[in-house]
Amino acid sequence: MLDPAVELAWFARGVRRLAGVDEAGRGPLAGPVVAAAVVVTPETPRLAGVTDSKQLPRRRREQLAAAIVSSLPFGVGAASAREIDRLNIRRATALAMRRALLRLPPGTDAVLIDGLAMAELGMAHEALVGGDRRCYAIACASIVAKTVRDRLMRRLAVRYPDFGWDRNAGYGTPHHRAALERCGPTPHHRMSFTPVAQRALL
């Protein structure tokens, strides 16, 4: 459950503009990893229903994402499948987060990310395990990141209909794995991920 005390503790320390950061798409076999950063202030009104994006049905998540980006400063960044293969998924996630943060308007006072601290981010931040379920700013970022990534995968699904990315978002579902065995990897598959690498060797 979101805890207002998370942000209040930061505001009590004099922070006025707190950026929450989260990502979507670390685990899939295909597609980019997408990160979003959303800024809240002591005056930010809370939208009803905001929580961890994975707990929301798609329609509600998209409604909330539209409300978030229309009312709060935000930035979105991504790292491609090729960047994931070149850097590894952890460093690529940090790259996506950094890109999202660099797209924020200037003046952010502090950065709070979901999960564990990431030295690879290359920017001052603090980490909050389970932050997408506890912190409003991170939950907002979670919703925006997942909404953007799911839309990207639905667009790619039009070009690669065999893989069902409009339904599985690139995750390794039985349907996706069967299509990978049948058709082989696309340019958007993560060749460094074991199921894809094994198929590419055939």
Side-chain angles (χ1 to χ4, degrees):
M1 179 178 294
L2 296 182
D3 182 0
V6 173
E7 280 94 353
L8 289 175
W10 284 90
F11 299 146
R13 291 160 56 181
V15 167
R16 295 289 301 171
R17 292 167 54 83
L18 175 65
V21 184
D22 200 7
E23 53 71 30
R26 289 184 72 157
L29 304 182
V33 58
V34 174
V38 174
V39 174
V40 298
T41 71
E43 294 76 34
T44 297
R46 294 193 165 215
L47 294 167
V50 167
T51 188
D52 173 12
S53 64
K54 297 183 291 295
Q55 306 301 316
L56 296 166
R58 173 178 156 185
R59 179 171 294 185
R60 181 57 179 153
R61 186 168 57 242
E62 291 182 342
Q63 290 171 341
L64 286 168
I68 291 164
V69 302
S70 67
S71 60
L72 296 175
F74 76 98
V76 173
S80 69
R82 296 289 75 83
E83 289 175 316
I84 292 169
D85 289 337
R86 177 168 56 86
L87 298 171
N88 75 42
I89 186 58
R90 179 181 173 86
R91 292 171 62 196
T93 298
L95 177 62
M97 288 181 168
R98 183 176 178 86
R99 287 170 172 167
L101 285 163
L102 290 174
R103 290 188 172 98
L104 289 175
T108 300
D109 298 319
V111 174
L112 190 59
I113 72 168
D114 181 47
L116 301 175
M118 301 185 73
E120 298 90 341
L121 186 59
M123 303 172 73
H125 66 282
E126 291 200 28
L128 181 64
V129 175
D132 51 5
R133 299 184 303 276
R134 299 166 58 193
C135 170
Y136 182 78
I138 295 177
C140 285
S142 168
I143 290 168
V144 173
K146 182 162 176 54
T147 299
V148 170
R149 187 179 187 279
D150 285 356
R151 286 176 181 170
L152 287 171
M153 296 308 296
R154 288 198 295 273
R155 291 175 188 170
L156 288 175
V158 176
R159 294 166 56 190
Y160 302 95
D162 291 325
F163 298 92
W165 291 340
D166 54 325
R167 300 182 301 279
N168 61 47
Y171 283 88
T173 62
H175 175 90
H176 186 178
R177 288 173 181 261
L180 184 62
E181 289 294 322
R182 185 174 68 253
C183 305
T186 72
H188 300 282
H189 276 96
R190 302 173 182 182
M191 301 302 296
S192 56
F193 279 38
T194 299
V196 184
Q198 289 176 338
R199 176 58 182 81
L201 292 174
L202 298 178

